[in-house]
Amino acid sequence: MTDRGRQIMDGDFDYLIVGSGSSGSVLAARLAEAGKRVLVLEAGGSDRRFFVQMPLGYGKLFYDPRVNWAYRTEADPGLAGNSDYWPRGKVLGGSSSINAMVWIRGDASDYEDWQAATGSDHWGWETVRAAYRAIEDNADGADAWRGQGGPLHIRSGRVPAHPLVGPFLDACAAAGLPRNADFNGERQEGAGLYQLTIKGGRRNSAARAFLRPALKTGRVAITLKAHVTRILFEGNRAIGVEYARGGQRHQARAGEVILSGGAINTPQLLMLSGIGPGAALAAQGIEVRLDQPNVGRHLNDHQGINYTYRMTVPTMNDILRPWWGKALVGMQYLLTGKGPLSVSINHAGGFFRTDPALNRPNMQLYFQAFSTLMPREGERPILSPDPFPGLSIGLSNCRPTSRGEIALASPDPFAAPRITANAFSTESDVAEMLAAVKFIRQIAAQKPIADVIAEELRPGPGTEGDEALIADFRARSGTVFHPSCTARMGADPATSVVDSDLRVRGVQGLRVCDASAFPTLIGGNTNAPAILMGWLGAERILATAPGRG
């Protein structure tokens, strides 16, 4: 797909977007729709891969360096000294091409937080709700909350992916968490089925839904396998970027440069270009253009853990483990686009409060009708689960108070940055996770799911008491792949990198539009708000283009 759609020459672009992920793809489409000429540079290659398109195939992409940056964090005391693995999409569509496809907007109060942080109603709940309704083509139809007819098709949230989903939801209700027909509706709290970004049995990534249609306008050009190494400046204005491709160095220029590389790559590129904590950059031998201590700071991410059970009834393990089962579901998928391979790993879930006094859910549930207790190093065996019927009930925290950091490990643009996750570094994060894992056991003890559970395998019934439970979740927890806030947007220059129009303060012609610009971490999966960032970001960029604001 290299340069496909190019009908304009370098230097003739209004905007240059670094990264084709959830935000970048949407941003390019929206700017092109407004008549702007856009160049997208993507470090990865094409998304035309079987396991990218097949929804359950993302287990095969989890460690694949051909589509994945495959980052590792620093050893984390909060995770019992473990170094966590952070997959991020290095492919057209970015992480929307390798994620679990769960469509969660977040709680309405999250966007009230955004409005407060930015001092702008452009990021408030009413603006956001209207934007989501315009984005969506929801299979369940439109209402005051959902949208229909937009560019992004959302699979029905009414179709169970497995027979055990019903017993799980009944057990949640028995534990005090009632059913919720739409987590993106009037309220988030409750248990129910997830809406998924799947269309016609295929992954509906941001590239498929937004970027590929935008190519047909003739106003978008894409260069794949283009690793951007630094931002180019004339005086105080960003005028383009330098990138490596095919062993050669190239330059591309545009009226404005927009970074959409995500919460890891965007701060790294800013720092490589001399924008970041001045003393740290100088120590790396990088000329400091702008001493901006917030670049790479405020890293926030959701931490998750699974409780795993051996079952007395069949689960997806029984069909996905044996060779004949693989052949059967593979044939079913190839012939009909349906079956186990056409859905996500997350069949159902929910949102709950660990303390009734809280004004919104602070924990998210995940129900998976299979188990993988015995993966080899470098393998996520979704398509080859355990050789017995098993299932997992997982959870993650919604708004952790722990903060990490992205820093340069080297001035080499091809070296991975240093990621310090700093998980469970506050007492409140530990306390709420302790309460949450106890609630998992509460659910598993309720009929009818309890009637088909043979035993708890992990952590196992021997793990009892607060100290043991805390030690267990420190040892087994890890990211659920939602890093955010590392070049955050805000009204206060002392605590943010970009203003409410996504402009990097202190320089001209440079913006950030991706999850790194989130003012705060959303309570839920981050693909939807990253797409929202591209959608609303385009509006702010167009409204404040040079000569207009």
Side-chain angles (χ1 to χ4, degrees):
M1 189 182 184
T2 301
D3 298 340
R4 180 182 173 188
R6 175 164 296 187
Q7 299 178 18
I8 38 184
M9 301 297 292
D10 284 354
D12 291 333
F13 297 104
D14 298 302
Y15 296 98
L16 188 161
I17 300 173
V18 180
S20 71
S22 299
S23 301
S25 287
V26 178
L27 182 59
R30 294 274 279 167
L31 293 175
E33 184 181 25
K36 304 302 180 181
R37 298 157 299 176
V38 182
L39 172 63
V40 180
L41 299 179
E42 167 56 49
S46 173
D47 61 341
R48 293 195 186 279
R49 294 171 174 270
F50 178 73
F51 287 117
V52 168
Q53 301 303 317
M54 185 180 80
L56 203 63
Y58 64 91
K60 292 288 189 182
L61 311 173
F62 198 71
Y63 291 100
D64 188 346
R66 293 171 298 179
V67 297
N68 198 325
W69 289 98
Y71 290 120
R72 287 274 180 187
T73 70
E74 299 295 294
D76 195 335
L79 299 178
N82 293 320
S83 172
D84 202 7
Y85 176 68
W86 282 24
R88 308 305 300 158
K90 186 181 181 182
V91 60
L92 199 71
S95 293
S96 75
S97 289
I98 68 168
N99 70 354
M101 298 158 289
V102 174
W103 182 252
I104 291 290
R105 298 174 176 182
D107 192 77
S109 64
D110 288 316
Y111 299 101
E112 294 169 2
D113 292 345
W114 281 24
Q115 181 170 351
T118 61
S120 171
D121 59 8
H122 296 305
W123 299 98
W125 171 238
E126 289 307 318
T127 302
V128 164
R129 181 171 66 162
Y132 275 129
R133 293 185 74 245
I135 288 168
E136 294 174 350
D137 179 32
N138 196 301
D140 292 331
D143 59 18
W145 311 97
R146 294 191 299 267
Q148 192 170 49
L152 184 68
H153 183 79
I154 309 295
R155 182 183 183 268
S156 174
R158 299 174 180 169
V159 182
H162 193 274
L164 283 172
V165 167
F168 166 73
L169 296 179
D170 289 342
C172 287
L177 191 64
R179 289 214 186 190
N180 185 343
D182 187 353
F183 298 128
N184 298 313
E186 186 173 4
R187 61 184 175 86
Q188 189 184 57
E189 191 167 21
L193 303 177
Y194 280 128
Q195 296 167 26
L196 304 168
T197 51
I198 295 173
K199 182 180 182 181
R202 291 171 54 207
R203 171 188 296 276
N204 199 23
S205 69
R208 182 185 177 196
F210 296 94
L211 192 53
R212 289 190 179 278
L215 286 174
K216 298 176 183 177
T217 67
R219 291 187 289 273
V220 177
I222 302 172
T223 300
L224 299 177
K225 299 186 178 179
H227 186 125
V228 176
T229 56
R230 65 186 176 104
I231 303 163
L232 302 175
F233 287 88
E234 280 185 359
N236 200 39
R237 173 172 288 277
I239 59 167
V241 300
E242 179 182 88
Y243 65 95
R245 185 171 183 272
Q248 302 294 318
R249 294 291 177 119
H250 306 270
Q251 292 187 354
R253 297 171 183 251
E256 282 200 340
V257 175
I258 308 169
L259 306 187
S260 296
I264 300 173
N265 297 77
T266 284
Q268 180 187 25
L269 182 56
L270 285 170
M271 289 185 279
L272 289 169
S273 305
I275 300 174
L281 298 186
Q284 296 275 8
I286 295 173
E287 181 180 352
V288 180
R289 176 172 294 277
L290 176 65
D291 185 2
Q292 171 45 281
N294 292 295
V295 172
R297 303 277 173 85
H298 312 290
L299 172 62
N300 204 352
D301 187 27
H302 297 136
Q303 302 296 326
I305 188 171
N306 277 352
Y307 273 45
T308 304
Y309 300 87
R310 185 192 300 271
M311 307 302 291
T312 63
V313 294
T315 69
M316 286 180 68
N317 292 17
D318 297 82
I319 193 68
L320 291 178
R321 178 76 186 191
W323 68 265
W324 56 265
K326 288 184 174 67
L328 183 65
V329 297
M331 189 66 66
Q332 182 184 17
Y333 180 73
L334 291 172
L335 292 177
T336 69
K338 297 179 180 179
L341 303 183
S342 69
V343 294
S344 170
I345 188 176
N346 296 306
H347 304 144
F351 293 86
F352 67 97
R353 290 172 288 167
T354 55
D355 181 347
L358 294 172
N359 63 0
R360 58 186 175 181
N362 64 322
M363 283 286 164
Q364 181 173 1
L365 281 170
Y366 308 89
F367 174 79
Q368 303 162 357
F370 74 99
S371 65
T372 55
L373 280 186
M374 300 177 288
R376 294 187 296 271
E377 178 67 23
E379 178 188 28
R380 194 183 198 203
I382 291 174
L383 300 178
S384 295
D386 294 325
F388 52 79
L391 67 74
S392 298
I393 303 174
L395 58 76
S396 63
N397 46 17
C398 287
R399 296 172 198 84
T401 55
S402 300
R403 296 292 182 269
E405 181 182 12
I406 305 294
L408 292 183
S410 162
D412 179 1
F414 302 102
R418 180 178 293 112
I419 303 171
T420 304
N422 216 23
F424 299 120
S425 58
T426 66
E427 291 183 8
S428 60
D429 286 358
V430 173
E432 71 172 8
M433 184 61 81
L434 176 60
V437 296
K438 290 179 179 178
F439 187 61
I440 289 182
R441 282 183 165 170
Q442 211 176 322
I443 293 171
Q446 307 300 317
K447 291 178 176 293
I449 200 71
D451 294 336
V452 290
I453 291 177
E455 60 177 327
E456 180 185 290
L457 296 173
R458 186 167 292 177
T463 303
E464 289 286 354
D466 290 359
E467 287 189 11
L469 290 171
I470 292 171
D472 174 67
F473 71 67
R474 284 197 185 278
R476 293 198 301 116
S477 290
T479 178
V480 292
F481 325 119
H482 301 157
S484 308
C485 308
T486 50
R488 66 197 297 260
M489 175 171 50
D492 183 1
T495 60
S496 59
V497 175
V498 302
D499 65 15
S500 62
D501 296 317
L502 304 175
R503 294 175 291 203
V504 177
R505 292 191 181 90
V507 295
Q508 296 178 323
L510 181 62
R511 309 208 199 208
V512 172
C513 184
D514 58 24
S516 72
F518 287 4
T520 58
L521 180 56
I522 293 296
N525 307 72
T526 50
N527 182 234
I531 284 175
L532 174 83
M533 180 66 69
W535 187 274
L536 290 180
E539 293 183 7
R540 303 315 314 143
I541 289 166
L542 291 167
T544 56
R548 296 195 61 182

